[in-house]
Amino acid sequence: MDIGFIGLGVMGQPMALNLARAGTPLLVWNRSIERCEALRAEGASVAGSADEVFSRTRIVFLMLISGEAMDGVLGRGTSHFQANVNGRLIVHMGTTSPEYSKALETDILAAGGSYVECPVSGSRLPAEAGQLVAMLAGDPSAVNEVLPLIKPMCRDSFVCGAAPSALLMKLAVNLFLITMVTGLAEASHFAERHNLDMQTFRSVLDAGPMASAVSRMKIAKLVERNFNVQASILDVLKNNRLVADAARRCDIASPLLDVCHALYGETAELGHGKADMIAVVHAIEARTLAAHELSAARQPSAQASGHTPA
């Protein structure tokens, strides 16, 4: 029987393509139908609706942007919901709040379905290369059924326990990612404003003990001023909010995350919401410019200070 895959966005399309290329019999659907054509070319079948995916498959992967999008596809809150999930295994691969995921699991189980939480760590390029890292949570039998299916998409997989532990794990990872990339952007700005050679700066970072696949990818984009999206500012801002909300619910301090939240919000306000997350450097540059302007405004004029040129 075909495997269903719904949601062919920046991450979902390359993930589904890796499944199709590995020989997985796929039935796909996406709201923007043109995103299905690459899958059709790789041998996947294209459904005419989300409901068709559920009616023709037993296991359905969802890679959608939000809980609202998932509810719409599942028909949650309508008479379609039970028909869509009864007897089926729903695999939630996107990033939502842990509370949403736990509530969705409860509803799916009550409707006679099974549920696995399976968020992934990585951006577009790792998705294209099948190098994502998966975190799974749910009933062990359902998790064990999903594990072999995700191998074409994921380099590593980690079972985290009961839902929503996989999403909490993803949020913890995202906290580190967001603060690390923001620090890299600030370091790059510091180096550039001190007129350091940026290629040498890149080489030093790449050779040093802090280097990682992420740092190498992002410092190259910073030096080249290449803001083509891998993970967008708006997506990172959404993830930042999810982490912050989870922290607040447990009275956890998150000082670095709070600064990042402000910076990514400022970047979006500057019009860079669809650019790669490394575009947060624009907000840092804007703060530097504002500080310079404030400093200049505070300097008295030469005449007012009594230092009239000779």
Side-chain angles (χ1 to χ4, degrees):
M1 182 179 289
D2 288 350
I3 302 296
F5 199 107
I6 297 176
L8 303 174
V10 170
M11 293 287 289
Q13 187 189 63
M15 291 166 66
L17 282 169
N18 282 326
L19 287 176
R21 289 165 181 161
T24 307
L26 276 186
L27 177 64
V28 304
W29 182 80
N30 192 72
R31 195 173 301 277
S32 302
I33 196 67
E34 65 273 8
R35 299 286 295 178
C36 297
E37 294 310 309
L39 272 299
R40 195 195 304 273
E42 293 291 341
S45 300
V46 178
S49 67
D51 286 351
E52 182 184 346
V53 175
F54 293 110
S55 69
R56 291 176 50 188
T57 64
R58 189 181 68 81
I59 300 175
V60 182
F61 290 97
L62 302 179
M63 188 59 180
L64 297 165
I65 194 169
S66 66
E68 291 78 8
M70 289 183 62
D71 288 347
V73 161
L74 289 164
R76 195 173 177 207
T78 74
S79 59
H80 293 282
F81 181 70
Q82 179 147 359
N84 283 340
V85 305
N86 184 34
R88 292 172 180 82
L89 171 52
I90 307 301
V91 185
H92 169 24
M93 300 197 77
T95 305
T96 60
S97 74
E99 291 76 19
Y100 169 85
S101 180
K102 185 61 180 176
L104 179 61
E105 179 190 50
T106 299
D107 288 351
I108 288 174
L109 295 180
S114 301
Y115 178 77
V116 169
E117 195 179 77
C118 186
V120 293
S121 181
S123 58
R124 179 176 57 83
L125 291 182
E128 291 173 350
Q131 295 292 300
L132 297 170
V133 176
M135 294 145 277
L136 300 94
D139 180 81
S141 62
V143 168
N144 287 335
E145 190 168 4
V146 171
L147 278 169
L149 295 176
I150 63 176
K151 285 183 178 179
M153 299 183 286
C154 302
R155 182 189 71 240
D156 293 297
S157 301
F158 297 90
V159 178
C160 300
S165 58
L167 272 166
L168 287 168
M169 187 71 72
K170 170 70 186 292
L171 295 183
V173 170
N174 279 357
L175 195 161
F176 176 57
L177 172 67
I178 292 168
T179 53
M180 177 181 68
V181 172
T182 307
L184 182 62
E186 184 171 330
S188 175
H189 177 62
F190 177 91
E192 188 270 332
R193 290 305 169 104
H194 281 85
N195 298 314
L196 299 180
D197 181 83
M198 296 305 290
Q199 290 294 346
T200 303
F201 172 67
R202 172 183 174 181
S203 297
V204 171
L205 281 179
D206 286 350
M210 292 89 70
S212 67
V214 171
S215 74
R216 290 189 173 103
M217 184 186 307
K218 297 305 184 184
I219 190 61
K221 292 176 72 66
L222 277 164
V223 171
E224 296 162 9
R225 303 293 289 187
N226 172 10
F227 301 111
N228 291 336
V229 67
Q230 293 168 343
S232 75
I233 289 290
L234 290 177
D235 186 51
V236 173
L237 188 57
K238 181 198 83 168
N239 279 272
N240 195 309
R241 289 169 179 153
L242 290 174
V243 181
D245 288 346
R248 299 296 172 267
R249 288 189 181 94
C250 293
D251 296 323
I252 296 170
S254 55
L256 295 179
L257 187 74
D258 295 343
V259 172
C260 292
H261 184 274
L263 286 168
Y264 283 90
E266 291 165 23
T267 309
E269 290 173 3
L270 289 169
H272 304 291
K274 294 183 179 180
D276 186 73
M277 67 182 297
I278 206 66
V280 71
V281 73
H282 289 301
I284 298 169
E285 290 167 347
R287 288 196 181 193
T288 293
L289 178 61
H292 285 172
E293 291 175 345
L294 181 61
S295 178
R298 286 174 173 170
Q299 293 296 322
S301 68
Q303 184 174 4
S305 63
H307 297 292
T308 305

